[in-house]
């Protein structure tokens, strides 16, 4: 009798063990399938949304930017769109960020060598680093990638606007010669004859 109970318990435990292992295998396969589906959706999203837009510069700014070699390399990297995998997008954003970092530390054209341009490039660098970080997360979230891509494009737009504004500023008339300053002083003296 003891042998019968022991044999029944053994069979029952073996069945439970086999059943639980099959469920665990099914669950693991389900998780793998979900992860692959998510990777595919992230890749499709990146493939559709990966584009960086630069404002069309004025002819004056365009001449300056065409002579700025590192800027040309940076914009060429922005135009390259990876096509093979998420890893290719990760590598491309690293290359873009490296080009921008080299831009920060190299000589700027004289007209663009101002604190506000350097600040805008630093902000753009930060948004590129955010995009890089979101692309390297274990679980890539599409909404965060979309936000980071939008930030990069917005900062590119602001940078181009700032460059254009810096070129427009010197065209405003400012008294820079001594004759202009003397004329202004004479006007002040005539307005106040008692001084």
């Amino acid at each position: 009798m003891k042998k019968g109970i022991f044999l029944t318990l053994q069979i029952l435990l073996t069945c439970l063990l086999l059943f639980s292992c099959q469920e665990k295998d099914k669950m693991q396969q389900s998780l793998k399938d979900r992860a692959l589906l998510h990777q595919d959706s992230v890749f499709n999203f990146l493939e559709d949304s990966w584009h960086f837009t630069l404002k069309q510069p004025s002819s004056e700014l365009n001449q300056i930017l065409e002579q700025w070699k590192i800027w040309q390399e940076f914009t060429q990297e922005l135009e390259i769109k990876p096509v093979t995998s998420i890893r290719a997008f990760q590598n491309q954003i690293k290359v873009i960020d490296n080009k921008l970092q080299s831009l920060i530390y190299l000589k700027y054209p004289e007209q663009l060598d101002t604190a506000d341009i350097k600040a805008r490039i630093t902000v753009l660098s930060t948004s590129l680093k955010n995009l890089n970080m979101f692309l390297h997360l274990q679980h890539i979230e599409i909404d965060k990638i979309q936000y980071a891509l939008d930030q990069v494009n917005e900062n590119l737009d602001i940078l181009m606007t700032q460059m254009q504004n810096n070129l427009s500023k010197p065209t405003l008339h400012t008294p820079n010669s001594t004759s202009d300053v003397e004329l202004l002083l004479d006007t002040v003296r005539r307005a106040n004859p008692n001084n």
Side-chain angles (χ1 to χ4, degrees):
M1 174 119 177
K2 286 185 178 181
K3 280 187 175 183
I5 294 175
F6 182 70
L7 185 62
T8 307
L9 283 174
Q10 226 178 4
I11 292 173
L12 186 61
L13 287 173
T14 305
C15 288
L16 285 173
L17 184 64
L18 286 175
F19 181 72
S20 68
C21 287
Q22 288 175 351
E23 285 298 315
K24 188 176 182 181
D25 290 342
K26 285 181 184 178
M27 186 181 291
Q28 285 178 346
Q29 186 60 37
S30 173
L31 288 174
K32 284 181 184 177
D33 291 344
R34 256 192 251 156
L36 284 174
L37 184 62
H38 179 72
Q39 293 287 354
D40 286 343
S41 66
V42 168
F43 177 75
N44 290 335
F45 172 78
L46 286 171
E47 199 171 43
D48 293 340
S49 302
W50 190 271
H51 56 84
F52 301 105
T53 54
L54 285 171
K55 268 186 176 178
Q56 185 64 30
S58 67
S59 59
E60 183 183 7
L61 180 59
N62 195 33
Q63 288 174 356
I64 294 168
L65 294 178
E66 283 178 356
Q67 294 173 3
W68 195 9
K69 184 181 177 203
I70 192 71
W71 177 263
Q72 291 301 316
E73 292 173 6
F74 171 70
T75 56
Q76 287 171 359
E77 288 298 332
L78 284 176
E79 293 172 4
I80 295 173
K81 183 177 182 179
V83 292
T84 56
S85 66
I86 293 175
R87 174 69 66 196
F89 286 99
Q90 291 169 337
N91 291 338
Q92 182 61 26
I93 198 62
K94 281 183 185 176
V95 169
I96 291 170
D97 186 43
N98 287 340
K99 288 291 181 189
L100 187 65
Q101 290 303 313
S102 63
L103 181 92
I104 289 173
Y105 296 110
L106 292 178
K107 186 174 167 103
Y108 289 74
E110 184 179 329
Q111 303 89 331
L112 302 177
D113 193 10
T114 61
D116 49 355
I117 297 290
K118 291 177 181 179
R120 285 290 162 203
I121 290 176
T122 303
V123 171
L124 177 59
S125 174
T126 302
S127 59
L128 284 170
K129 287 184 186 317
N130 285 341
L131 179 57
N132 186 18
M133 177 188 65
F134 291 138
L135 281 174
H136 282 86
L137 291 175
Q138 183 71 25
H139 179 76
I140 299 173
E141 296 182 31
I142 292 175
D143 57 333
K144 289 185 179 181
I145 298 295
Q146 179 64 53
Y147 175 76
L149 284 169
D150 291 344
Q151 287 296 104
V152 169
N153 279 317
E154 181 181 343
N155 288 322
L156 280 168
D157 184 48
I158 292 170
L159 175 62
M160 293 300 290
T161 302
Q162 188 67 52
M163 287 179 177
Q164 190 62 50
N165 288 344
N166 280 13
L167 288 181
S168 302
K169 283 180 185 177
T171 60
L172 299 175
H173 179 67
T174 56
N176 55 2
S177 67
T178 56
S179 63
D180 288 343
V181 173
E182 288 173 0
L183 178 65
L184 289 173
L185 287 174
D186 281 346
T187 308
V188 172
R189 282 186 208 132
R190 280 189 239 140
N192 299 320
N194 296 334
N195 292 340

